[in-house]
Amino acid sequence: MTEPRRALITGIAGQDGSYLAELLLSKGYEVHGIIRRSSSFTTGRIDHLYQEPHQEHSKLFVHFGDLADGQCLTNLVQEIQPDEIYNLAAQSHVRISFDMPLYTHDITGAGALRILEAARQLNKTKPVRVYQASSSEMFGDVLETPQTEATPFRPCSPYACAKVFAFHQTVNYREAYGLFACNGILFNHESPRRGEQFVTRKITRAAGRIREGLQEKLYLGNLEAKRDWGYAKEYVEAMWLMLQHDDPNDFVIATGETHSIREFLDIAFESVGLNWHDYVEIDPQYYRPTEVNLLLGDASKAKDILGWEPQMTFRSLAQLMAESDLQLAVNERLVRENSNTLT
Ligand code: NAP
Ligand code: GDD
């Protein structure tokens, strides 16, 4: 019997990590993930996949580690001996990166370099393939539209600067050491598992809670920004495809459509039978010192070389998230009502 392929995912408990783990397990991989120690549980997105390691057919193994600790990462890579490494961990919030620039640099930027270095050392004994989670945010104050792999970067936040650093390190490890390393330049991608501090999920969560009488208002920042929003579940397939190709390369992954926050508000609130103008207020604390006004990707290269194409429409994505969050809000209301009856 042949050994299953082995993957290591940093950030496995995040939105993308959870979908990628599902995808790789469905393909028969043995999946190892890194989570960082926290005072409370953070594995809600992967609990449904997790089986105790002692169970006979368990294929998912979770390890404690941190992108700040290079020795720990090197030890884990040596111990696990992965065939593929997906570096998805990051301080991934753009607005918060302005408050924590050095931390963001250390985790989102230098953390990627620590992973590359661990992979380079393993590569000497066993060929390993590395995926780096690069970002459309690197295009920043965009120099051309739509953005492709050839568009120059013009980063506009500590987060974007850290991702640009990681991007170039990934290319350099490929060229200098022959490491099979790819950058996926992914445009915004969302899902019912999206973190609640990102604008789409913040909106759908609020729409459901307002509909159920659990919240009165929704405070937002800049409603004029436009993003190329896709579906996270489809985007992790692109990550996997990049590592299956014969040659390492960098790819833009996007839908080719751009929409404003206002358009997302329209669909999300309409999906729960409300008009957002009655509930949304602007709070300047959500503005950024420098804003990325427009992102629009051209994923032709991924289509031509990897055969990857997005399927989910913008409207269906917003509806999917709104419906999922309405159900969460209904459950939350029922729990509250039950606890009121019991006390
Ligand atoms: P996410 O939900 O914020 O997940 C990030 C994960 O990284 C979390 O599980 C987090 O752990 C972990 N993490 C943070 N700091 C860490 C550290 N010091 N050591 C180890 N793990 C750490 O992000 P996502 O949306 O899944 O995105 C995945 C990756 O793609 C990120 O690198 C992001 O920057 C990049 N990206 C995302 C998008 C997008 O639209 N979603 C687009 C382009 C690129 P905790 O749960 O403990 O916080
Ligand atoms: N988070 C947030 N909260 N954003 C708001 C709000 C608010 O209350 N109000 C308006 N916005 C605007 C932001 O100013 C930004 O223009 C847009 O909504 C999207 O913000 P986010 O959802 O936080 O995403 P992002 O585009 O900044 O970053 C995401 O996408 C990047 C790819 O381009 C993150 O997932 C990054 O990790 C990722 O690299």
Side-chain angles (χ1 to χ4, degrees), residues 10-18 34-38 42-43 45 65-68 87-93 103 107-108 131-137 159 163 184-190 193-195 198 229 232 235 239:
T10 73
I12 191 169
Q15 171 187 255
D16 292 4
S18 66
I34 295 179
I35 58 168
R36 48 182 182 161
R37 194 264 157 185
S38 163
T42 57
T43 54
R45 294 185 181 99
D66 199 299
L67 283 200
N87 183 36
L88 309 187
Q91 189 305 87
S92 66
H93 201 283
Y103 177 77
I107 302 309
T108 306
Y131 172 86
Q132 167 58 22
S134 286
S135 165
S136 53
E137 196 67 17
Y159 168 83
K163 284 287 184 188
I185 307 173
L186 271 53
F187 282 62
N188 296 50
H189 45 280
E190 320 293 312
R193 294 186 198 169
R194 183 59 144 149
F198 298 99
W229 276 300
Y235 282 37
M239 297 177 188

Side-chain angles (χ1 to χ4, degrees), residues 245-282:
H245 196 64
D246 294 340
D247 303 310
N249 212 325
D250 307 317
F251 294 93
V252 159
I253 298 299
T255 68
E257 277 184 30
T258 192
H259 298 275
S260 67
I261 316 291
R262 284 177 188 278
E263 289 172 83
F264 193 91
L265 278 163
D266 283 339
I267 301 172
F269 273 74
E270 179 193 295
S271 301
V272 300
L274 299 175
N275 181 344
W276 64 268
H277 294 94
D278 297 335
Y279 305 98
V280 171
E281 289 188 7
I282 300 301

Side-chain angles (χ1 to χ4, degrees), residues 293-305:
N293 295 310
L294 166 81
L295 290 174
L296 173 61
D298 175 352
S300 304
K301 180 175 167 184
K303 184 179 176 192
D304 292 348
I305 298 180

Side-chain angles (χ1 to χ4, degrees), residues 15 90-95 133-138 159 163 186-190 194 196-203 218-229 261 282-283 285-288 291-293 295:
Q15 171 187 255
Q91 189 305 87
S92 66
H93 201 283
V94 174
R95 170 68 191 84
S134 286
S135 165
S136 53
E137 196 67 17
M138 301 187 301
Y159 168 83
K163 284 287 184 188
L186 271 53
F187 282 62
N188 296 50
H189 45 280
E190 320 293 312
R194 183 59 144 149
E196 293 182 26
Q197 293 168 326
F198 298 99
V199 76
T200 55
R201 187 80 200 286
K202 185 173 169 183
I203 291 170
L218 168 59
Y219 295 94
L220 293 173
N222 176 16
L223 305 186
E224 313 309 328
K226 296 180 102 177
R227 290 290 183 274
D228 180 329
W229 276 300
I261 316 291
I282 300 301
D283 184 339
Q285 73 161 303
Y286 296 112
Y287 288 142
R288 296 159 184 202
E291 174 66 283
V292 171
N293 295 310
L295 290 174

